[in-house]
Structure formats: C-alpha cells, structure tokens
C-alpha cells in the first residue's frame, strides 16, 4: 500500500458538497432519462457560466462516452477526425471512435497540442473519395500532456476550422484545471464561442461521475438525445448527473476544486525544478511530468503511486504525477520531502 | 404535480443503506476503471449469491448499455438475436443493438415471454447465408409486461438453446422483482446455471445506477473489458458501482427492496381485482396493467402519475402502475381509495 | 440435371448486345473507378430515359450493395427504415442494413406492397428518442412477390412521405419487368419524380452485373462516391458497368428484354389458370407463384428447376417460377405441356 | 488525349482469353451467388496452384472489398490491424476498415514493407483494454511502392505472428507482378503456407474484375459466405468471376500476363537508370517510381498519362509509371524515346 496515490485525479469519490445535494434530493421523485427538473436547473447554471444561452447541454457518465457520441453526431459515415497522436481518442479509448465507423488521422502535435499546418497537411493529402474525408478537429484542453491552449491559439484554430468547414471539438476531461491554470487566458465563455462542441469534465474534478456535453453549433443540436439513448448514455436516474452539476456550478465549486488541484501540482513543480530536475512538457495544470533518475523513481515507487510515463535515456524516465481536488497538502509536502531526501541519497551513492 | 408517481421504479434516488456505503468509502483512494478492491468484494458477494464462483462479473451504468455490450460480445458480424416484439432491445433502446451491427428477429411471444416453437420458426426460416444467422435468444425476467418465466420454462428454453448452439441471454433490469414474486420458483442460482449471460439490475431496485453483468459461459468471458471500454462503459470511478452492489448484496437488501415493491403492487392488484377490473397480463411483479374505463383513468391521472399503456376498446385502456423499493404504503392506500371512490362515481354517472 | 431452370432470372450470362459493347471497347484505355467517359455516356442515356437531367447516377455491382449503400447515405446513426416483412432488405440480405447500424421496422404489407396506414402506425409508435427514428420508406418494384405499384399508389405514397419528411426509396432489382408489365401504368419518368432515390436493376435483366443507383433528391447527392468507395462498390474497371448500361439504354434493349421475360411468364400464368390452379399473389411480372398439388410439384421437380415457395395446406404448396430475357419459349411450352400432362395423371390417380 | 496512359494497370478491359471463356459459357445456366460449378472448377485450379487443397476460396469484385471483408471476418469488435502508413487500407480505401469498426495502427515501414520491431512496438504500447487490441498484421505483396517481400522476410514475419497469436493477411492486388518479379523467391505455395489469408488479384492482372480470397487458416473459414453476403460481395451471377479465374489459372495465363507487365516496367527501369535518373524505391514489379526534373515531367505529361507521386526537392519529383498485361511494347519504346529526347533538351536548356 502506498502512502498516497498520485496515479490520477479520480482515486477518491465525490466532494462533500456534491454528496450533500444528492442527499437533499434523494427521496424526491423526478422524471427519468435526463428530463428531470434538476437537469433544467443545472443546464441553466452552465449556460450562464459559458455565457451561451442557446447551447444544448447533455450529461453523460464518462469522457470516452462523451467523445464517441458527440463525434458520431458530427460525422457522416465517410468522414473522419484529425487529432494528435497522444489524443485520448487515439490511444486510450480502445478504438471507440473507430467502432462507430470513423477514421482518426493522427498527427504529431507539439507538446500535446495540434497545429494548423498539420491539419492542412491532412486536408491536402486526403483530397478525394479514395480517402476518408476529414471533418472534425479534436483537441483536449488541458491536453493529455498537461499543456493548455492559449486564447490566441484557440482563436486561430477556430478561424481556420470555420474557413475549412471543419468542426472543432474540445475534450474537457480536465477543463477545470486548464481554465484555472496560472497560465490560462481562455475563459469558459471564450471556449463556447470558439468551438462547435465541447464537454466539461466532472469526474476528474470532484464529481462521482458526469461530463456535461455542450453543443454550441445549432446544426449539431437536433435529435442528440437519440444518439445518447442508442449509445447507452441516457441514465434512468439522470438526476444523479444533474444534481452533481448543480453542486459544481451553483457557486464556484468547479473552479475552487480545480484551483486546489493546480496549486498542489504547482507546489510540486516548483520544488522539483528547484532540485534541478527537468520536465517532459511545460505544464501548469494538475498533471506534471518530471524527468528523474530511474534509481530515484524506484525509491519513490515504494512509497507513492504514480505512472512511469516514458523512458528518456538509459538512466532517466519521465513520471506522471497527478493531483486533484482531494489531494491533501500534507501528502504533497511529504512526497517532496521524500523526493528531496532520496534525491540526495541517490546523488551521494552515484 | 401528482400526489405520487407510479410512472416507474426509478423516480427516487438511492436507498439510504447504499448511500451509507458510498459515504463510508468516499475519501479512500481506490484503483480506477473497475479494478478497485470494492469491485472484488462485490463480485465475490454476487458469485456467492448465484452459487457460481467462476462467473465473470462486470458493473455497468445502465440496462441498454448492459444489453448491447453483452450481445456485441456474443455475436459475430453476421449473427443475430431472437426476441419477442415487446422486448426492451426491440422497442426501447433506439436501435442500440442494430447500431452495433446486428439484426433482431422479433416474434410475437405470449404475455411477453418467448416460446420455443417461435424460435424454431426463426431458425427454419433463416437457414442460409442470404439471411442473418440467429445466435442469441434474448429474454427479460421479469418481462416488459411484468410476467416471469417458471423454472420449467427456463429449463426447457435453456436445453433447447444448448441443443441448437444458441446462446441464452437474460435481461434482468427487474430481476429482483421477478425473483421475489409470489409466483417465482426460479432462484438466482438456477438462472446462473441455465443462461449464458445475464445482468442483475440495480437501477430499478434501489441503486443510483448500476447493473451487474454476469457471464456464466466461459467462452464469452475473455477480453470483455475491452468491449466495456470501447463502448464507454468503464467508469473512472468504478467504485461508485461496486460500492452500491456491496450494499445490495452484503446482506439481504436486494431482495428486501424487491419484496417491498412486489408487496405494494400485490396490494394494488388484489384491490383492483376485488373491484372487478381485469388485467392485461397476469403479473405478480412490481409492474401491473389493470384495464380501466377511460373516464376513470382521466380522474386518476389528475392525482397520480402513470402511463396509459394500450387501448383495449373504445371505452377502456390498460394502464401501467409501477411500484418500487421507495413506494410508501400510504400512497398505495390513498391511490386505492381514490380508485374505489372514482370507480363508484363513474359507475353511478354512467 | 434439369431440362431448364426457372429458379431465377440470373442463371444465364449477359445478352449478346451487351457482350458486343464490352468487346468493342475492350482494348481502349479508360479512366478508373467510375470516372470513365463511358459512364458519362451511360448516365446521359439514363437521365434522358427518366427525364431527370439533374439526377445523380452511380453504377454498382449488386442489389444488396445498392440498397445498403443508398440507405446508409440517407440515414443518420439513429434513423431507421420501414419496409414490408417480405422486403429483400429484411429477409435476404444477411442483415446488411443492420450491419451499417440501422433498424428495419417490418410491417405486414399487402401482396408484398406497403400501405400508408402501416407506415403511420410505425411513426405513431416510434415517437421519441427511446425508439429508433423512422426516416426512409423502402419499397420494391416489382415486389418480392411479383406485384407492382400503380401510379396512384406510388403518387399517394410519395405525397405521404414528403408530408412526413420521410425519404422514399425504391429497389428496382426487377424494375424492367415492373415497367413492362401488362398492368403497369407507371413510367421511369414517373418514378424518378416520385421517389428520392431508386436503382435500375441490370443483373436480373440481361447484364452480367450492374445496378444503376439514381439519386433524384439533391440533398442526397453530395459525396456519394465516398460511401461507394468505403463500402467496396467502386470498381477499378468501372467501365465494365457503364458499357453494359450503354448497351441496355442506347436503344430499347432494357425494355425489350423485360417484355420477353414478362411474355414468357404471362404465357405460363394464362395456361396454369386455364388448368384451374390458383395463384398466391396476382402477378403480371416475370415471377409467378402458382399453387399446385404437392404430388404434381414432385413430378415437375424432376424435370425443371424452381423453388417451392410456401406451404398452403397439407396437400398444396405455392411454387415460384421465374422467367428472364433468356428463357426460350420452347422451354416454356415444354413446361406447360408437362404440367398439363402431369396434372391429368395426378387427377386421375387421386 | 494521351498517346498512352501509364496511370495504372486497369485502364484496359479483359484479356481476350478471359473474354473467350465468358463467351463459351454465356448461355449455359448456372447456379447463382457463387455456387456455380465454374466456381468449383476455378477453386480446384487455384488450390492446385497454391498446393493447399484445404484452402477456402471466395471470389469478390474488388480489392477494397476483399480487404475489409476478410479483416472483418478475422477481428472481434475491439481488435485492430497493424499496417504500414502507405498501406492501401490506411490511405486509399476511404476508411473502409474503420467503417467496419476496427482501428488501424499505422507504422512507418521501410520501402513500403513492415518490420517486426515496428509490430512489436505496437504490441508493447497497446497492452491493455484502454487500447484497441492488435490482432492482424496487414501486408501488401507487391507493396504500394512496388517492392516485394523476400522468402526470408515473409518466413520471419510469419513465425513472429504465429508466436504472438497475430493473424497475417496479405493483400495481393498485384500478386502476379510480385510473384513474377525478377527478384522474387516466394512462390504461391510459400505464401499459402505462411499467411492466414490472402487474395489473388485479378483486376490488375487481366480480368474485368475479380479477386480470389484464399483462407488458409481453418479457424477463419467458417461462415465466410455470410459476411460476403452481408457486405454486398455475393454476385447473383458469380459465374462472371469464376469463369475469369478459370481462364487465368487453367493454363499459365495469370503468370504470362504478369511477366509481360514486369518486362515492360523492367525495360523502362533499365533505360531510365541508364539516363542517370534515381528511383524512389527499388522496384522490380510493374510499378516504378523514377525521380525526374519537374521540367522534364511537364513535357512528358503532355504526351503520356501518369501520376506525379511525391515531391523530392524544389526541382524534382518522383512519378509513378505502371505497366500491365496490355501495355504495348511500342508504347514503352516511344515513351523511352520521348524521355531520352526531352531529357537531352532539358539538360541543354538548363
């Protein structure tokens, strides 16, 4: 057993305030399958936060589900998606998008982010009916490597996609952390204006489960519930999702929780940098990827849970440390102490 | 607003004992995606209840998801499913099974139950490669019409399917109610022996959400988690599902809740029969379908929520009344009083 | 070996005039994948015949392919097709439409033809997102039972579909025979005006292979070649298809061949009726379904190839006799003689 | 209009010997949908050529169809294919494999050929149920770049795949050319022993259309015709395909035609090399990729049809020249003369 797990941001259950709303509403009778009055309330709260009253909002249980359902709604049978190689849909969804019949064109990206020239290259290459037809650009914010898009980057990407008649879709599994990053200059309202659809991740930011799909582009709003039902995403007790989003968005909870997660990761980053260790990517969100000597990693693994992410050279690897709304600061401190101590030992011994 | 809704068995949240387990485990860290230790515990409890230690068990969020995933795991691309016309997969899942590529052969059935001659007819007709190849027989227990299979019926069906190399799959959305029916002679252990796979419905029997897919046939067990992931059914916080099934099966809760629901429906049935009204199907579970004069239905609809199920003649319709673990007996009594009173008024006035 | 096979209308190869065009063009070089100049020529000929210069036309190899491709182009993931139970897509395409993800709602029909009240019933029942959403009405002309739609029937069906925002699709595997039936009052031009898409069957009317998909509704025309390619329907030597359609439509060949097939079936019908035998359906096309004593059928089966279609009572069955462009009149005469003789013998002996 | 097109190997129709068999059998009646006696004959001929009497053989119309159907038969819903980036299935089939639900893992390859370390890397990375599960290795022989596998390469690849429980599938669109290459040391019989399934391409080697899918691995043979039917690949007049394969394999025609195509390409290669131009890949098959100055390409394009394949630098591009069974030697000579002349002019002028 580890002292603490930094494996991910979904090791604990739900934030107590979320629990409270579930408990308050528990014995009331509500309509099923997402047509409950709590859903109306939760949607209004989100529409207000994103400053987009015409957005259609649907609650689903998980990110993979949010992704393949929204992409399926966007695509004709022969249309395809452009994404970076490290994109969740490309590597960690067991071929879910392909299982709905669509190809993903994977491009290299830079620090987990897609670039316009890469998309253009895909368009240039896939130019006739012998190839799949690119129609959606998929991005994650924060990316799978902890980085975020700047306002300028997303604005340019959005303009490019609109010019090329491509839809822009944003995976917001860790949207809270991205928005609350110390380097963030993008707001929820900006995003809603710039993309065609996105989702606001609840599971990795304090909810038991729940992602809010937001469809900004009106031409994509029609009959969306049919796809939700067909793909198994409509819950009989949809209230379970809407109640949690009320808790997250009626006050500032969604942002508070993300700020805490970021603060914990930031503290780690600062300390690890001060010890002289480099990072795989520049991240100001709740996932960080320090590069450490393998001997040091081996020591830390005895005490803490985390993934060894990628090998750097014969003696060093990047690890992934993830913090969350639930990460106790004392555990961060303890980890940093142990890191400092082990680091010293290692350097003495080597 | 209605005094009480008999629309369905998922209008309330979760039973307090379920809440309690969620709360106790909330801040503990668990592994993600269904690999938590709570899942191990929940699976062992279920294996014990079904007396089938080799069964593979997986928790998913909803019945439609359980159905199309398990069927997809059972079928080659050209294989198909036989089910009654009223089967949930045939009418109320938005074409989810077809969306995974498989045809459903719908047969009439008797009181919501499939018969062997009907299946044989499908096999006789679909005999070569110009037709889809029937491979799974789908049944619901309780059925969508509130009826249940007897031990003899399921035993014969199972033997027939094994002889014909067909898989037998049982949708247990309302399995608790079926098992606890006053007319039930089938146990959980019987079912596990007789079918290839089934699911134990939690959502309609006290859980917030959650269905336990049980795969008895070993040849269907391999790599099941791949399909779960690909179809969006693996939850990051899978603990939310396993914790609830611990609550349901560590003691007798699953059966207690079902017994309460059945008792409430039974009380209604007895009373309505005593008033001389017939029923659409003979049901001893938590869904009943009395046939009432339309004028009487109109009066009741002002006070209570329920579905008008099907028209019987120009002046009568069958309605569906559903009770649950959460249905207060006082609401049942009140409904029956109002029914008796309205019934008298209507007969006087007509 | 049979003296002659009346099993179907595809037992022989291609009509000699078709052969001739293939031979004339054989060593010329043409562009691949349907972009050959012969395709342009064939399309213009067909557009002229159907009096619809804006129709998009694509040549594919087979009827099942034409059906599932065109339906896939018409449907969103959650949309479905309404067809009669006997429809080719419902029984004889191995679940091809479901394999593209779409449900078929099967209705009884009358003599193989769909009726408006049946469609309306499907719409009434499938009214919300828990059900698949009916979007296409599928008909065959001639039907799988040899019957044809009248101009009035198709006009009403078309008006109904347009009112309900349903697409109307016509499977023309045996369109030639339908158009040339003695009872036909529908022309190719009528059909093109009344449906959204249809196909002109070549394989069963003299071609080696080839069906011409005609898309009349402009909103369905875009990017159709992508689906053709993706579903394996674009031939490298597409010229093989277009050359054959030039042969069929540059003069009157398509109609001549169908008239011959119909004349042969008509002769059989008249003669069989005169012997006092009834028919399963009233057919004036190249498929007829006489009902004969089983003893008589057994005798005929020794000499001729044909399918026993359906059992009528303990001593009688309907058989299917199919004629084609290639059926020699002498074989028809011989069959009728043998039938008359056997019929007499049978009646004497019984 | 060009003097001659070197765009591809499917610009002409069918070889006269193929025509002859079609004509001889044209008015005979045969069973439909691939169950004709000609198919039996053709299959026996192929089984003899591949020295594999237990191989199951099926004729389909096109390469894309052969690929996605055979792969669909090999894969469970969550399984995937490994192929080089330039593989036909990855770039030129409009997402056909993904449309059947399966992911393709694309690796770089060397000269169009896959390497074992690349496959191993895919296996290492895709190790659990969050990723698609690699199950088939797809190769083309000849490759899309004109290269071929050696006996040693294929033997090692086969052994590796069997060790890793991967299926090995070979796309033989240009198998004739590969087998008859001056550098070939692999025979048809070798291939049948080393792979699980492959197809023998007819369309690009003298047939009007037709590919013979050969399934060597017995566990993949069952119920294959169901998938053929479901995906639109069973032709009513399947005789059209089997008759052509009789023509190709009753004597040595298949190899004669390929040898001619290779000889024509070989003559071009030799001549172009002698002029000092380099090649993109080392090809001894009927596709060659010389690298020429853009000014020279521009002159040649006025006279001959061919694709400019890829840009090499600001002044040079690789072009693709394809020869076939039908390429007249005089056209090759004329092209080489024009090339030599233009080449001189260009060098003088620059």
């Amino acid at each position: 057993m580890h002292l603490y797990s930094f494996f991910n941001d979904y090791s604990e259950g739900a934030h107590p305030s979320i629990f409270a709303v579930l408990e308050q509403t528990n014995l009331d009778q509500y309509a099923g399958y997402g047509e409950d009055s709590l859903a109306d309330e939760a949607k209004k709260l989100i529409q207000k936060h994103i400053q987009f009253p015409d957005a259609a909002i649907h609650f689903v249980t998980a990110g993979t589900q949010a992704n393949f359902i929204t992409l399926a709604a966007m695509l004709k049978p022969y249309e395809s998606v452009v994404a970076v190689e490290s994109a969740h849909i490309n590597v960690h969804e067991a071929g879910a998008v392909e299982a709905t019949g669509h190809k993903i064109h994977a491009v290299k990206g830079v620090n987990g982010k897609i670039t316009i020239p890469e998309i253009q290259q895909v368009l240039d290459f896939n130019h006739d009916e012998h190839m799949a037809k690119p129609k959606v650009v998929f991005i994650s914010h924060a990316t799978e490597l902890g980085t975020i898009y700047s306002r300028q980057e997303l604005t340019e990407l959005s303009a490019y996609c609109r010019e090329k008649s491509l839809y822009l879709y944003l995976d917001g599994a860790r949207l809270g952390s991205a928005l609350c990053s110390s380097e963030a200059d993008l707001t929820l309202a900006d995003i809603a204006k710039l993309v065609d659809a996105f989702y606001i991740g609840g599971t990795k930011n304090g909810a038991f489960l729940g992602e809010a799909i937001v469809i900004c582009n009106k031409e994509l709003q029609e009959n969306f519930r049919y796809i939700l039902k067909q793909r198994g995403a409509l819950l009989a007790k949809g209230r379970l999702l809407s109640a949690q989003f009320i808790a997250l968005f009626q006050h500032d909870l969604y942002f508070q929780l993300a700020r805490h997660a970021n603060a914990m990761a930031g503290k780690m980053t600062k300390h690890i940098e001060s010890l002289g260790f480099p990072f795989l990517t520049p991240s100001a969100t709740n996932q960080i990827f320090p590069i450490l000597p393998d001997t040091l990693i081996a020591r830390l693994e005895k005490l803490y849970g985390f993934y060894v992410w990628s090998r750097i050279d014969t003696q060093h690897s990047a690890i992934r440390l993830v913090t969350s709304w639930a990460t106790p600061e004392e555990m961060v401190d303890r980890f940093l102490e142990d890191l400092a101590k082990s680091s010293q030992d290692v350097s003495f011994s080597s």
Side-chain angles (χ1 to χ4, degrees), chain A residues 45-64:
Chain A
L45 287 169
I46 292 175
Q47 284 161 341
K48 201 175 135 195
H49 271 276
I50 63 175
Q51 298 174 29
F52 207 120
D54 291 343
I57 298 172
H58 303 276
F59 302 108
V60 298
T61 61
T64 295

Side-chain angles (χ1 to χ4, degrees), chain A residues 6 267 304 328-338:
Chain A
F6 295 101
K267 189 170 192 179
Y304 302 95
E329 185 155 8
E330 58 182 285
M331 283 301 163
V332 168
D333 292 340
R334 201 152 160 189
F335 175 88
L336 294 174
E337 279 166 41
D338 286 325

